[in-house]
Amino acid sequence: MLMYLLNCAHCQVPTPVSPAQAGDELVCASCGKPVLVPKLGELKRLPMTESPSTKAAPPEEMSSAGRTTGFVIFGGLATLCLLATAFCGIRWALISVPSDTQTHIEEMRQAYKVAASAQLVREWEEMEKYGVDIVSPYKYQRIANEKRRWGINTAVAGSLGGLFILAAGALARGGRKPEPSIDA
């Protein structure tokens, strides 16, 4: 394969380039800085070298399949996470909490105002005998806890989906060659 030796503008290390790369921008293997490959007419004036057939392809070309696979995987994971976010968000929105602690306390105060004296005495005796510890939360508290769990699931799934979207975008962007700048 016909190759030309292009010296890096920053470190002067020669890099073999093919005519197909004319006008592209490469990254110098030595210093890591971008090197603009001249147009074909200028490229043909550079010294030529023969490319060994056993030489490995540049890292961009070798990892293209890996980038594509990663993009598909991260894209699929992002889709699954966003579907989970939608499901959890809908479940969260559909749960209606009938009461809260303040409303419950006010309801109990109103109920004790109209309760018969005999009923209050029985409740007092039960509190003396069994104590006032509540074994399980009230129904409205269980419903509120369930709604909070669905809200947390929504936030976690949405955050993971966003991270997977960013990762897929980074992989997609990493495979593109930058556009050469057009100077007037």
Side-chain angles (χ1 to χ4, degrees), residues 70-88 157-169:
F71 175 78
V72 169
I73 289 171
F74 284 133
L77 288 171
T79 302
L80 289 175
C81 285
L82 294 177
L83 286 172
T85 301
F87 176 77
C88 293
S159 298
L160 285 174
L163 288 174
F164 287 135
I165 287 171
L166 290 175

Side-chain angles (χ1 to χ4, degrees), residues 87-96 147-148 150-152 154:
F87 176 77
C88 293
I90 290 170
R91 289 294 305 259
W92 175 85
L94 291 177
I95 294 175
S96 175
K147 183 169 182 140
R148 185 173 46 254
W150 282 111
I152 291 169
T154 302

Side-chain angles (χ1 to χ4, degrees), residues 6-15 28 30-31 35:
L6 175 67
N7 288 338
C8 173
H10 305 285
C11 67
Q12 300 304 316
V13 172
T15 302
C28 177
S30 177
C31 68
V35 178

Side-chain angles (χ1 to χ4, degrees), residues 116-127:
S117 300
Q119 180 186 357
L120 293 174
V121 169
R122 268 185 270 136
E123 285 188 20
W124 174 261
E125 288 172 349
E126 285 182 15
M127 282 191 273

